Each structure stands twice: as structure tokens, then as C-alpha cells.
């Protein structure tokens, strides 16, 4: 019970009795309950006290009207409710008045203003308000029962004091008439705190006369209440549990022998039921812990907030039987008016918040109209690379019709991007945000909300607003182990999402996305025996029901027919909503009956389930699409036919005259067809009456990646676009026109005008010829094309007709590279058989004809690049090839003849990492270079004549090494001194500012194709970059904004500032200070440690000291790398000054260290790879190297050691010699010859033993990255 003074208790009771309506106290205390936790008094005790006051009031009235006690109490309650409503209306005038009213309530109830403010803060969000209301409702019901029990006990025990209490209340009523009017007037006239205090004092004076009588009565009542408090609480809990059991309706997704169903209030849980097939699935079941005592009526008090910011009307879609039961549940019970008062109070507070929120600026989502997306100006971009157009369409996913007839707007997917395409305006808008290729999508009935999901690491579910293009909600961690989403569906009212994961053990999740939650409302793991689910849909009229199917089993499937019905394609709800339909690839239709238990039945009487009732042989062709529109059931089949059936599955009309390929998707306009007129030309249906067949216009997508629009009035079919249906691996831009050629493995070459976004012409080659490579010659008159089976075509660039009489067929494998010389006299190709072939132009009978010259298998591994150049002395073409075998080979074209390709020279590019691509470095210096990228994230510059490695630089590090690189063309001569590179790695495209120097701020990159990029090309004017996505069947056009990249570079700092950030701790860190110490110590060492001569302090060290300092700071370069460092320093200024440098300063040393060291440190994966290659698998399954083999490898392979060097190194590693002893002058040791390697080394050496026990390095534990190794 509430622990306050007796005087205060009586004053409150007298005030309530005099004013009759208890709303003032109720309102103030209700506010305290909602605020929760801000005051000193327990909210539950306050409510109990309030309910006790009401019960005493009923006791007094019962003494006056013993026969009509309950009726009189109800009238009093109605009067109190009316008074409260009047008070609520008066309090809604302004927010300031409401606050003043709260202040008066604080004074009357000894509450503070801080509690009220906390209540406001805790109820700012709708979800918090719901929780507060739930707690208040539960507390109210408990206190109501306690008050009822207390009242019954009081009635029995308080007969002796009834007359005294009655007289006290009569006197309080007479004395309180005047104060009641004063209090009401104070509320209506915006009573100030002083007026409230004045009214309270008058009320206190008027109630002093009856204080002694009321005190005596209160003491007797309080004594009885303390005795029976525990009994009342126990009784209330039992009654509450019984009521919750009766009213609670859970929503479950369960299995029966042929069932996957949803039932009851949505959403609470997904509950599998044990069946003879599924076994015990309870261990796989997860559910959201919701308050199950809340009825559907409670939900109506909390209208859900849609993303547009508007409060949605709660018109839930339910079957009639559920609506009838809901009406019965909503009938008011005794005492339920108190709940209504709390609900109305919540609404009152919510209105105050809404009025406050209206002051804020409205969101773009709520203000954008249907055509707002295409009114945006996307021309001004602040990013170095921005997507401007997407060629292609992922034909494995549907295309949707999302706008009316005046705006023919389509929605489809291209790689990881959602494309909204206006056909009439020839304009695209791109919705970007997925890190992986989009695997499924769906759209709401009103075509506003788009839901997309992807598969891969960090997979996402994103809900977009199609009016504004804004992502309104993103769901992270949507599936276990980043498996991705296989299928997705959205309800007609867009409240709920359902997803099926792509994992080995699939999981179905229901998402209440409008509440912006990160966890599903309910989940269910599916057994593998039910097949791999790949299709999902909701019941269009009941959000509580959804179906899914695999290729082998039906909707809610756990049994199948005894005879073969074919593979299921899609499933929908029948128009009558009591049946389900499943289409098969055999042209059959399975009809399932939905059996729902009566609403009043208990859970033991069964759950909703389905049973197959009919197998209809609908047609001969396999059904690929099954959907419904208006009053028709629609099918699309593998023959390209589209058929319409009525609810009895009688055919009404069909379209078969267009000779389409297999139907992939059908999407109907959201605008119903107009009423026919005299000018209408609808076809007749198949009935005897021959009525006009009137249906909405619709979009048709086929499996050959073609999209059509069918206007039903007049039966006009319009082809919107045709895209490649197989992977796109080859793209090439014209050298001086805005044309791009796109080649696909389906044998199609398609040419576009990329400025006008207009298709120009195309050619489809015979079956079996897949386009693998494309290149224009420098004049732009020819287009060379290499195919998957080894054929090479030379085509006319403007017509795609054969430029040579016959194609060349000198290879049997994929032609991966094709290149022309600068004068178009030579063409070279490379294939996957490591062979280079050369073709030459000859003149015969006055005509220039291409002839085969020679071919040579010059590499041992795949050819990475094929490049023509120009000899500096005679302007003759030169040809080079670069292989994964680390060989750079140049060919002598002048000395080559028929069937003989002469090799000029061969050079190895690297000792460890393989090269990935190469280009000619622009003439920014007097020395001509060949730029080669390696798999170790390095960029190497080789002298174009001597092939000496002149520089090694840190390249872009964006997740994978560079695979393609091109020099950005310039439009004017003034731009020749500022050049840029465009590069592409596995899934990103980026820009690099030249010259390359290792500065990380000079590079930028963006994801272009998450599943892997296959090719890249640049426009002739350098404005656009194009990337081909390979398997995702798309080509993306990227606008280049160089000023944005230059701005980013300026923010990164100048001189050495960017390089300081690449070392641990920066310039002020411990590592850099140690580097400085070693640098200057090397000066002392080179001058002699024991010398007595004057020291010469310099900013340089001798070049010979460079490897010792490198090893001292933890970088152990090979002898080849040391030689490259020496050459880089020696000849750094040789071309300009003619001098060879023999010393290096600290800033240059820092740059060389950063550019030459491994970009991610020494990793265990690199060491383990060496053991995988050199070792064998022992009895324990580990890769090991025998001790004798290990020592032999050190003495004979690579940069091999001598026996003395090897003994000295092991003596130092095992502690027999001091560390670094041999690098110090005038030191020597004989310990190396004394070491016994057979005793020191284990018989079998693993990568871990070699790293930790022999080298003495530590392995860092990092769960997200490769383990790195470092010195102790």
C-alpha cells in the first residue's frame, strides 16, 4: 500500500468524493505510471490507492442505495468518464496549457515536473508508448482485481463503520461542491500554479470538519486491507492468467503432414508441429518474446507508422471467422472503462507529440510524389566515379511494371543495382547499396515499396521508396553465416516481409519492417527433406498466410501425390481464398484445399493445414509463371503462351500468336483497364457469348532476356529491349565515336551510342560461338572479335559484317586477348593454351587482306596481357606478352615469317608474385617505362629498352590485386602533363593519379560488380569508364569526375604526410622513432664503432647500409629486392643529371620501405602456401617438409645459401651467436661450424614450427584477417 501520511490520504479521498470525477488524480498518476521510475512512489501503489478510493466511493453509494449499488456505481463511472473527457478537451488547446495542467496535478499528487517530463521522453517513440501502455494495462487490471477483492472484504468487515463513513462522505460532498466548481474553472481558464494552490487550500479547509470521522473509518479499513492484501494479489494473478489463456491468440508457422501455414494474430511465433516426416523440430524453433496477453483490440490503439510518416488506419485483413471472434473479444467487460480512459489519455499525449513533430521539417519520403524520382538532377556528382547507365538485365529475376500508361516505367535488377527505367524518356535511376549481387526482389501492391536482398558476405535486405529512391530501412545480419536470401515476399499492404535464406538449412523469417527492427518477429528452420525452397508469396487478402514451394514439393508441403506431377514452378492463392494452386513443369495444376479450424476451437483441435484435392491437366506445355490479376488466373509457359482462366479453371483467353520464347515473368499495370468504348478494340473471349476480353496492360519478360509491353486494347506487342542472356566478357569503345560494343557468350555483339543511351545495331553469331574478346583498331574501321572455341573474326566496325573473307581458326580454345598495332598492320591474339598468334595485312590484287603469319606457345601459364608498342628509333611496331609464369617476352616482328614467330628477349618480372597486367607508362619523364602490376599489390616500372626494374611502388589495395589497367585519354595537349590511370580488380573500378609514388590518397575505387568483373574499357574522350560484369550479364557506365579525386588528394596532405600515416603510430609513434634511431646508428656503424675520430653527422647513409636498416626494423628483403632498391636509388636521377647516387636520406628511405615491404605484413597464409607446394601430407594430415629436404632446398633452390651461411644463420637463430653479430664490423665467430642441425631441427617441419620455433616469430590472432607474423 502507498506509504503516505494519514492526513494526505484523507485529503485526497475527500477531494475525490467532493469533485466526483476521479480523472484528475487518475490522470496525474497515469502520467507517473507512463513515465516509470522518475518518482519516489511506486506507480503500482498509486494505482492501487486510486482504485481503493473508487471502491470506498462505491461503498458509500451502496449504503444509500443498497438495492441498486452496482447500477449507481456505473452511473458514477460514466459521470467520471464524461468529466474526464471534458477535462481532456480543455487540456488539448495548446501544449503550454497541458503543461500547466500537469503542474497542478503534480502539486495535488506530490509529483514533480521532472517525472512528467520523463514520461514524455519515454513515450516519444511509438514502441515505447506501447510498452508503457502494456505495463499500465496489466497494472490496471491487477489493481482492479485487488480493489474488487478489497471491496468485498470491506463490505463484510466494515458493517460497523459503514454509517460513520457514509456520514463523512456526505459532509465531504456538501463541503466540496464549491471547491469542485473552482477546480473545474481552474482547468478551463488555464489555472496557474498559484490558483491551483489556492483551490487546494480551500479544499483542505472545507474538509477539516470531517477529518476525525474519516480518520477512524480509514484506520479500520486499512487494518483489513493489510490482512487481505496478499490474498487479493494471488486471486488477481490467477484470474489474469485465466483471462490471458482465454484471449491469447498466437500466430504460428507450422508443419503438418502437408503443411506450412500461418494462423491467428500476426506476428508472434513460427511454430513447427511434429509430423511423421519432420520429426521434432522444436530445437530449431525460435520466436520473438512478445506480450501474448494483448488482444487484437489492443493493437487498434496503436496505429503503425508507415515509412511515409503517415499514421495508417488499422484495417487488418482477416477472414470473416476471425473478425467475428474479434468482435466478441472487443465487447466491453465490467471495469473496462478504466482501460479506455488510459487509452484515451495515451492518445491525448500522442497528439501533443504529433503537434510538436509537425514543427519539424517533413521527410523527402513523405513529400515526394510518384514522379519525383525522375525530376531529380543527378548530373552534379561529388564522387570521382558515379554510375550513369546500366546496360543489361538479370533475366533470372523478374521485371516489374511500376507506373501507369502515361509513364511506362519498369523495375529490374542489374548486378547489385536496382534499375528504374522510364521507357518514354529513355532515362534510368539507380538504387545502389547492396555489397553483393541482388538475388531476389519484390514490390508492394501499390508499387511504392521495393524490397531487395542479396547473397554473399555482409548480405543485406533493403526496403526502398520508389517515389524518391531513398532506402527507408536496411536489415543487417538477415541470415546466418552470410548465406544470403533466396526468396522474398511482401504483403499487399506492405506491412510485413517474408524471406527464405539460401543456406544449406534454410530459414524462413517474418519481418515487421515498418517498426524499424533488426530482428525477425519469428523464424523457422526447415528440414532438408522438404526440398530447397525457391519461391514465396503471401495470401493477398490475409497477411497471416503465406506459401512457398520447391521444385519437387508443393505449398505447405509434406506429402506428395502417389503419381508423378512434375516439378513445381510457382504457387499462388486461389481467387476464392480457400484453395491454393501449384503449377508444374509438366503443364499440370495441383489444387489444394485449406482447412482452417473454427475460431472458437482450442489449440488441441488442430492447426490450419492443406490437402491436395485435385490434379488438373491444364496444358501440354510446362508452366513457368503462375499469377492472378483481377478475376483471372494467369499462366505463362515454355512455349511463350500466356493464358487466362476463370475461377473454375476454364480458359477465357490466350495469347500465342507472338511466338515468344519461354515466359520468365508477367507484371500487370496497377491501373485497372478503362471501360470499353466504341473505339475500343479488345479481343473477344472464348465463351459462347464472345464478350470482350478486358484486362490490364502488362509487361512480359522472357528467358532470352527480352522485355515486351502488351497493350490489350488492340493487342499491340512492343519490344522494349533485348539484352544478352549469357555472361558478358568482352567490351570495347570506339577510338573516336561515342560507341561501345558489347559481346556475350550467347554469341551476340551489340553496339550502343553511350551518349544518347541508344541501341544502334547488333549481330548474333551461330550457335556455339561465344564472344570472349573485342577490340577496335586505332582507325576505328575494324572490330576484332575472339570467340570461345578459338575462332577469330575481323568485322566492319559500322555494320559488323565480315571484314575478311573467312574467319581465322588457328586455335582450339578461348581467345582471351586481341590487340592491333598502332598502324593497324598487325593483329595479335592470345588463347588459354598459352599461345600467341600474329596476323598481318598484305596487299593482293590491289586489296588489303588479313593473313595469318605465325603462332608460338611461348608461356607455361596463362597469358595475362598482350601489348603492341612502337620502337623509338624506327617507328616500327613491337609486340610483348606477359604471362602468369612471371615472364615478359618481346617478339621480333620484322624477323618473323610464315609459321615462325621470332622471340627477341625474355625477362623475369618478379621472384615471388605473378604479374596481372601491363601498359605503356605515359611520357611524364624523359625515360620510357613499362608499367606492370603484380599480385602482391605492387606497381613496377621497367625500362622499356633494358627491362631493368627501375621502381617498385605500392599500388591500390582495395581487397584484391589490379587485374586490368588503362591510361585515361586526354582531350587537349594541356592535359598531357597531368595523367590518370583507370584500374579494375576483382570487383571494383578505380582511379589513380600519376605519377605513381605509393601515396594511398591518390587512389579511389567503387564496387562495380560484386560477383566479379570481366572487362573494362574507356571512352575516347576520357569522360566515361565501362565495366563488364561477366556472369551478372551487365555493363555499367561510370562518369569520371577528376576534380573530386584531386580534392581528396589535397585533404590527405603533402610531402611525407600521407606516408607517415602508413606506419604504425604515425610520425610520433614508437616505430618511426626506432626507424630514426636505426638510421642514425647506421652512420656510426659505417664510420666505425670504436673510432676516436670526430664524428660526421649527416642526413644520409651509405647505400650499402640500406639492407641492414631494413632488416633491423623487421623487413627482410630478398637479394633480388635489395638489388631493385639499389637500382632505384642509383639511377633515380641518372637520366636528368647523368650521376649515380650512392647514398640515401631518411625521407627517401621511408618511401622505399613503405613501397617495398609487404602491404599487409608477413602472413601465415603465405608461409603455409610455400609448405603446401614444397611439402607432403604426413600421417596426421598436415603439410610438412622433411628435415633433409628442407636443408637441401636452402642450399640449392632460389637464392640459395652456402653451407657456411646456412650454419651461421641457424647458430644465430638458436642463440649460439649474438643477434646481428655478423653485421657488426670486426666481429667473428666459430660457433656456426659447431652446430648440429640434426639435433636442433625436428624430423618433420610444419609451417607453424618453422615460424615459431625456428624463426622465433609470433603469430597474431585475428579472426577477421589473415594471421600475421612478427618479431618478438
Amino acid at each position: 500500500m502507498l506509504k503516505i501520511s494519514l492526513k494526505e490520504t484523507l485529503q485526497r479521498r475527500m477531494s475525490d468524493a467532493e469533485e466526483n470525477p476521479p480523472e484528475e488524480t487518475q490522470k496525474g498518476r497515469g502520467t507517473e505510471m507512463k513515465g516509470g521510475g522518475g518518482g519516489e512512489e511506486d506507480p503500482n501503489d498509486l494505482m492501487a490507492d486510486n482504485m481503493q478510493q473508487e471502491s470506498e466511493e462505491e461503498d458509500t453509494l451502496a449504503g444509500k442505495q443498497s438495492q441498486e449499488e452496482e447500477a449507481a456505481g456505473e452511473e458514477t463511472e460514466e459521470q467520471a468518464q464524461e468529466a474526464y473527457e471534458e477535462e481532456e478537451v480543455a487540456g488539448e488547446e495548446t501544449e503550454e496549457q497541458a503543461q500547466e495542467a500537469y503542474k497542478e496535478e503534480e502539486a495535488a499528487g506530490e509529483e514533480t515536473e521532472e517525472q512528467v517530463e520523463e514520461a514524455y521522453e519515454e513515450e516519444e517513440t511509438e514502441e515505447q508508448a506501447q510498452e508503457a501502455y502494456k505495463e499500465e494495462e496489466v497494472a490496471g487490471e491487477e489493481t482492479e482485481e485487488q480493489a474488487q477483492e478489497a471491496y468485498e472484504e470491506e463490505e463484510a468487515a466494515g458493517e460497523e463503520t459503514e454509517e460513520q463513513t457514509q456520514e463523512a462522505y456526505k459532509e465531504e460532498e456538501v463541503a466540496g461542491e464549491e471547491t469542485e466548481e473552482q477546480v473545474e474553472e481552474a482547468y478551463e481558464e488555464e489555472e496557474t500554479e498559484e490558483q491551483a494552490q489556492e483551490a487546494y487550500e480551500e479544499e483542505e479547509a472545507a474538509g477539516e470538519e470531517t477529518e476525525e470521522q474519516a480518520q477512524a473509518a480509514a484506520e479500520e479499513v486499512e487494518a483489513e486491507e493489510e490482512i487481505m492484501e496478499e490474498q487479493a494479489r494471488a486471486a488477481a494473478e490467477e484470474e489474469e492468467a485465466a483471462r490471458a489463456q482465454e484471449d491469447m491468440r498466437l500466430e504460428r508457422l507450422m508443419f503438418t503432414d502437408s503443411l506450412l501455414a500461418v494462423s491467428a494474430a500476426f506476428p508472434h511465433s513460427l511454430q513447427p508441429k511434429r509430423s511423421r516426416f519432420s520429426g521434432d523440430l522444436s530445437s530449431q524453433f525460435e520466436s520473438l518474446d512478445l506480450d501474448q496477453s494483448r488482444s487484437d483490440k489492443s493493437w487498434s490503439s496503436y496505429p503503425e507508422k508507415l515509412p511515409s510518416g503517415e499514421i495508417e488506419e488499422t484495417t487488418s485483413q482477416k477472414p470473416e471467422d476471425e473478425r467475428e471472434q474479434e468482435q466478441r473479444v472487443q465487447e466491453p467487460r465490467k471495469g473496462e472503462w478504466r482501460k479506455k480512459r488510459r487509452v484515451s489519455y495515451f492518445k491525448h499525449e500522442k497528439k501533443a507529440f504529433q503537434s510538436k513533430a509537425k514543427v519539424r521539417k517533413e521527410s523527402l519520403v513523405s513529400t515526394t510524389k510518384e514522379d519525383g524520382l525522375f525530376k531529380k538532377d543527378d548530373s552534379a556528382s561529388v564522387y570521382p566515379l558515379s554510375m550513369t547507365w546500366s546496360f543489361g538485365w538479370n533475366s533470372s529475376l523478374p521485371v516489374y511494371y511500376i507506373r501507369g500508361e502515361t509513364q511506362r516505367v519498369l523495375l529490374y535488377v542489374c548486378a547489385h543495382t536496382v534499375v528504374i527505367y522510364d521507357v518514354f524518356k529513355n532515362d534510368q535511376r539507380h538504387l545502389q547499396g547492396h555489397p553483393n549481387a541482388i538475388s531476389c526482389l519484390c514490390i508492394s501492391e501499390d508499387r511504392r515499396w521495393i524490397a531487395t536482398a542479396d547473397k554473399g558476405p555482409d548480405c543485406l535486405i533493403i526496403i526502398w521508396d520508389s517515389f524518391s529512391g531513398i532506402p527507408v530501412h536496411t536489415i543487417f545480419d538477415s541470415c546466418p553465416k552470410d548465406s544470403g536470401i533466396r526468396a522474398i515476399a511482401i504483403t499487399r499492404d506492405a506491412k510485413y516481409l517474408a524471406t527464405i535464406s539460401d543456406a544449406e538449412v534454410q530459414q524462413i523469417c517474418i519481418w515487421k519492417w515498418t517498426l524499424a527492427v533488426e530482428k525477425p518477429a519469428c523464424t523457422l528452420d526447415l528440414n532438408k527433406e522438404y526440398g530447397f525452397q525457391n519461391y514465396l508469396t503471401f495470401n493477398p487478402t490475409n497477411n497471416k498466410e503465406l506459401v512457398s514451394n520447391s521444385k519437387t514439393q508443393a505449398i505447405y508441403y509434406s506429402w506428395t501425390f502417389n503419381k508423378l506431377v512434375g516439378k513445381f514452378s510457382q504457387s499462388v492463392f486461389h481467387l476464392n481464398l480457400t484453395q491454393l494452386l501449384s503449377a508444374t513443369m509438366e503443364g499440370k495444376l495441383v489444387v489444394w484445399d485449406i482447412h482452417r479450424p473454427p475460431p472458437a476451437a482450442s489449440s488441441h483441435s488442430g492447426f490450419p493445414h492443406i490437402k491436395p484435392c485435385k490434379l488438373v491437366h491444364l496444358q501440354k506445355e510446362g508452366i513457368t509463371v503462375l499469377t492472378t490479376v483481377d478475376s483471372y488466373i494467369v499462366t505463362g509457359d515454355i512455349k511463350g503462351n500466356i493464358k487466362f482462366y476463370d475461377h473454375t479453371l476454364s480458359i477465357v483467353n490466350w495469347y500465342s500468336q507472338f511466338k515468344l520464347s519461354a515466359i520468365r515473368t508477367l507484371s500487370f499495370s496497377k491501373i485497372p483497364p478503362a471501360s470499353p468504348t466504341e473505339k475500343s478494340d479488345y479481343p473477344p473471349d472464348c465463351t459462347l457469348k464472345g464478350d470482350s476480353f478486358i484486362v490490364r496492360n502488362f509487361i512480359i519478360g522472357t528467358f532470352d532476356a527480352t522485355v515486351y509491353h502488351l497493350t490489350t486494347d488492340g493487342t499491340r506487342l512492343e519490344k522494349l529491349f533485348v539484352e544478352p542472356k549469357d555472361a558478358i566478357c568482352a567490351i570495347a569503345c570506339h577510338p573516336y565515336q561515342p560507341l561501345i560494343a558489347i559481346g556475350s557468350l550467347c554469341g551476340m555483339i551489340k553496339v550502343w551510342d553511350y551518349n544518347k543511351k541508344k541501341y544502334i545495331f547488333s549481330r548474333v553469331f551461330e550457335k556455339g560461338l561465344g564472344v570472349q574478346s573485342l577490340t577496335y583498331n586505332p582507325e576505328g574501321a575494324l572490330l576484332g572479335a575472339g570467340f570461345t572455341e578459338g575462332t577469330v573474326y575481323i568485322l566492319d566496325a559500322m555494320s559488323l559484317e565480315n571484314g575478311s573473307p573467312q574467319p581465322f581458326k588457328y586455335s582450339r580454345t578461348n581467345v582471351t586477348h586481341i590487340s592491333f598495332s598502332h598502324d593497324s598492320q598487325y593483329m595479335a591474339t592470345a588463347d588459354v593454351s598459352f599461345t600467341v598468334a600474329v596476323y598481318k595485312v598484305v596487299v593482293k590484287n590491289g586489296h588489303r587482306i588479313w593473313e595469318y603469319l605465325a603462332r608460338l606457345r611461348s608461356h607455361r601459364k596463362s597469358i595475362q596481357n598482350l601489348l603492341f608498342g612502337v620502337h623509338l628509333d624506327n617507328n616500327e611496331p613491337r609486340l610483348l606478352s606477359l604471362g602468369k609464369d612471371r615472364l615478359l617476352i618481346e617478339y621480333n616482328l620484322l624477323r618473323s615469317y610464315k609459321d615462325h614467330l621470332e622471340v627477341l628477349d625474355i625477362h623475369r618480372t618478379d621472384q615471388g608474385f605473378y604479374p596481372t597486367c601491363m601498359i605503356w607508362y605515359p611520357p611524364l619523364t624523359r625515360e620510357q617505362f613499362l608499367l606492370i602490376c603484380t599480385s602482391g599489390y605492387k606497381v613496377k616500372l621497367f625500362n622499356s629498352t633494358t627491362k631493368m626494374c627501375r621502381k617498385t611502388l605500392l599500388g591500390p589495395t582495395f581487397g584484391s590485386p589490379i587485374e586490368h589497367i588503362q591510361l585515361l585519354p586526354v582531350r587537349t595537349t594541356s592535359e598531357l602533363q597531368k595523367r590518370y590511370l583507370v584500374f579494375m580488380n576483382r570487383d571494383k573500378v578505380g582511379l589513380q593519379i600519376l605519377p605513381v609514388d605509393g601515396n594511398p590518397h591518390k587512389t579511389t575505387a567503387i564496387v562495380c560488380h560484386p560477383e566479379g568483373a570481366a572487362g573494362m574499357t574507356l571512352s575516347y574522350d576520357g569522360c566515361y569508364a565501362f565495366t563488364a560484369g561477366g556472369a551478372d550479364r551487365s555493363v555499367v557506365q561510370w562518369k569520371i569526375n577528376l576534380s573530386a579525386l584531386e580534392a581528396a588528394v589535397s585533404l590527405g596532405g603533402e610531402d611525407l604526410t600521407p606516408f607517415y600515416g602508413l606506419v604504425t603510430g604515425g610520425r610520433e609513434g614508437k616505430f618511426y622513432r626506432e626507424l630514426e634511431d636505426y638510421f642514425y646508428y647506421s652512420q656510426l656503424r659505417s664510420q666505425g664503432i670504436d673510432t676516436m675520430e670526430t664524428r660526421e653527422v649527416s642526413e644520409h647513409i651509405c647505400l650499402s647500409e640500406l639492407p641492414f636498416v631494413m632488416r633491423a626494423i623487421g623487413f627482410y628483403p630478398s637479394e633480388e629486392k635489395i638489388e631493385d632498391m639499389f637500382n632505384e636509388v642509383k639511377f633515380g636521377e641518372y637520366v636528368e643529371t647523368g650521376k649515380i647516387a650512392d647514398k640515401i636520406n631518411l625521407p627517401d628511405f621511408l618511401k622505399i620501405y613503405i613501397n617495398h615491404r609487404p602491404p599487409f605484413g608477413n602472413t601465415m597464409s603465405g608461409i603455409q602456401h610455400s609448405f603446401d607446394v614444397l611439402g607432403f601430407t604426413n600421417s596426421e594430415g598436415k603439410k610438412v617438409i622433411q628435415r633433409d629436404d628442407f636443408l637441401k632446398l636452402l642450399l640449392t633452390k632460389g637464392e640459395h645459401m652456402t653451407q657456411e651461411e646456412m650454419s651461421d644463420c641457424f647458430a644465430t637463430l638458436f642463440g649460439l651467436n649474438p643477434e646481428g653479430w655478423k653485421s657488426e664490423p670486426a666481429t667473428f665467430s666459430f660457433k656456426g661450424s659447431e652446430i648440429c642441425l640434426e639435433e636442433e631441427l625436428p624430423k618433420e617441419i610444419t609451417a607453424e614450427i618453422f615460424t615459431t620455433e625456428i624463426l622465433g616469430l609470433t603469430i597474431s590472432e585475428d579472426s577477421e584477417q589473415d594471421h600475421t607474423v612478427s618479431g618478438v
Side-chain angles (χ1 to χ4, degrees), residues 395-618:
S395 57
S396 62
L397 296 177
V399 56
Y400 290 102
Y401 198 168
I402 66 171
R403 294 288 186 274
E405 299 306 313
T406 58
Q407 286 182 286
R408 189 173 297 170
V409 180
L410 308 182
L411 171 74
Y412 56 91
V413 167
C414 179
H416 64 312
T417 304
V418 180
V419 180
I420 299 180
Y421 175 48
D422 190 322
V423 178
F424 293 152
K425 295 181 180 179
N426 193 32
D427 194 8
Q428 287 184 356
R429 290 294 183 268
H430 307 103
L431 310 183
Q432 297 176 271
H434 283 280
N436 309 294
I438 295 174
S439 57
C440 54
L441 77 161
C442 61
I443 190 168
S444 61
E445 181 69 18
D446 61 0
R447 303 297 198 271
R448 176 156 193 180
W449 310 111
I450 305 166
T452 57
D454 60 63
K455 291 191 296 185
D458 302 320
C459 57
L460 302 175
I461 299 174
I462 304 179
I463 297 89
W464 312 82
D465 174 25
S466 67
F467 289 4
S468 61
I470 295 175
V472 296
H473 185 50
T474 300
I475 300 175
F476 301 89
D477 301 325
S478 57
C479 51
K481 299 180 181 179
D482 291 330
S483 57
I485 304 298
R486 178 66 176 183
I488 190 170
I490 192 170
T491 57
R492 176 168 289 192
D493 58 6
K495 282 186 180 181
Y496 307 109
L497 278 177
T499 60
I500 301 180
S501 67
D502 198 52
E504 184 177 358
V505 177
Q506 290 185 289
Q507 185 180 75
I508 298 181
C509 298
I510 307 296
W511 305 86
K512 200 166 184 180
W513 70 272
T514 57
L515 296 184
V517 295
E518 291 297 328
K519 298 296 182 181
C522 40
T523 62
L524 176 67
D525 292 338
L526 302 179
N527 282 342
K528 296 180 182 179
E529 61 190 40
Y530 295 103
F532 192 77
Q533 306 295 297
N534 53 24
Y535 185 77
L536 183 68
T537 185
F538 276 95
N539 187 335
T541 59
N542 191 349
N543 294 345
K544 303 178 183 64
E545 295 183 350
L546 69 161
V547 297
S548 66
N549 67 259
S550 66
K551 290 184 177 180
T552 58
Q553 300 200 29
I555 318 160
Y556 296 103
Y557 44 86
S558 35
W559 75 44
T560 58
F561 289 95
N562 293 330
K563 54 184 177 179
L564 181 64
V565 298
K567 293 182 177 180
F568 292 108
S569 56
Q570 290 185 356
S571 303
V572 296
F573 283 87
H574 194 283
L575 298 172
N576 59 20
L577 305 180
T578 61
Q579 292 179 323
L580 300 171
L581 304 175
S582 293
T584 74
M585 295 304 294
E586 302 296 327
K588 301 171 185 177
L589 201 67
V590 182
V591 183
W592 309 78
D593 280 336
I594 303 176
H595 296 271
R596 299 186 179 95
S602 64
S603 59
H604 301 289
S605 61
F607 297 107
H609 62 280
I610 63 172
K611 291 184 179 180
C613 63
K614 188 182 297 184
L615 180 63
V616 181
H617 295 264
L618 206 61

Side-chain angles (χ1 to χ4, degrees), residues 352-407:
F353 282 117
Q354 289 175 352
S355 64
K356 196 171 183 178
K358 288 179 181 177
V359 180
R360 301 173 184 172
K361 187 177 179 180
E362 293 183 340
S363 69
L364 291 176
V365 176
S366 62
T367 58
T368 304
K369 297 182 179 180
E370 186 175 21
D371 58 347
L373 182 61
F374 287 94
K375 290 183 179 180
K376 291 182 178 180
D377 183 13
D378 293 342
S379 59
S381 175
V382 297
Y383 303 103
L385 290 166
S386 56
M387 181 184 293
T388 60
W389 196 263
S390 179
F391 304 90
W393 161 52
N394 187 352
S395 57
S396 62
L397 296 177
V399 56
Y400 290 102
Y401 198 168
I402 66 171
R403 294 288 186 274
E405 299 306 313
T406 58
Q407 286 182 286

Side-chain angles (χ1 to χ4, degrees), residues 1016-1167:
M1016 182 184 71
T1017 186
L1018 304 177
S1019 63
Y1020 71 95
D1021 57 2
C1023 292
Y1024 300 102
F1026 299 85
T1027 56
D1032 65 19
R1033 292 164 281 182
S1034 67
V1035 174
V1036 179
Q1037 179 178 351
W1038 304 90
K1039 186 176 181 179
I1040 298 174
N1041 184 1
L1042 298 177
S1043 58
L1045 179 59
E1046 292 288 353
V1049 174
S1050 63
L1051 295 175
E1054 299 178 351
D1055 299 330
L1056 289 178
T1057 302
F1059 297 93
Y1060 290 138
L1062 294 177
V1063 296
T1064 305
R1067 184 175 185 177
E1068 305 301 326
K1070 179 181 178 181
F1071 178 85
Y1072 185 76
R1073 291 198 300 269
E1074 289 184 353
L1075 187 150
E1076 285 182 315
D1077 292 342
Y1078 285 126
F1079 184 84
Y1080 292 112
Y1081 174 74
S1082 66
Q1083 293 185 17
L1084 301 178
R1085 205 182 70 88
S1086 61
Q1087 296 176 21
I1089 299 297
D1090 300 327
T1091 182
M1092 299 299 293
E1093 298 179 1
T1094 303
R1095 299 286 184 181
E1096 296 181 3
V1097 180
S1098 172
E1099 295 180 355
H1100 298 77
I1101 61 172
C1102 297
L1103 197 57
S1104 58
E1105 295 293 316
L1106 187 146
F1108 296 104
V1109 181
M1110 288 287 183
R1111 292 169 186 143
I1113 59 177
F1115 173 40
Y1116 306 95
S1118 64
E1119 295 299 325
E1120 183 184 71
K1121 283 187 172 63
I1122 292 174
E1123 187 66 25
D1124 289 342
M1125 293 179 193
F1126 286 165
N1127 291 334
E1128 185 172 335
V1129 177
K1130 285 180 180 179
F1131 304 104
E1133 299 178 356
Y1134 179 77
V1135 176
E1136 286 77 13
T1137 64
K1139 296 180 181 180
I1140 297 178
D1142 59 353
K1143 56 186 178 180
I1144 184 173
N1145 59 21
L1146 181 59
D1148 291 339
F1149 177 86
L1150 177 64
K1151 289 183 179 181
I1152 288 181
Y1153 165 72
I1154 289 174
N1155 284 318
H1156 282 263
R1157 69 173 182 175
F1160 309 112
N1162 299 310
T1163 61
M1164 274 302 299
S1165 62
I1167 299 175

Side-chain angles (χ1 to χ4, degrees), residues 45 385 822:
D45 291 341
L385 290 166
H822 72 287

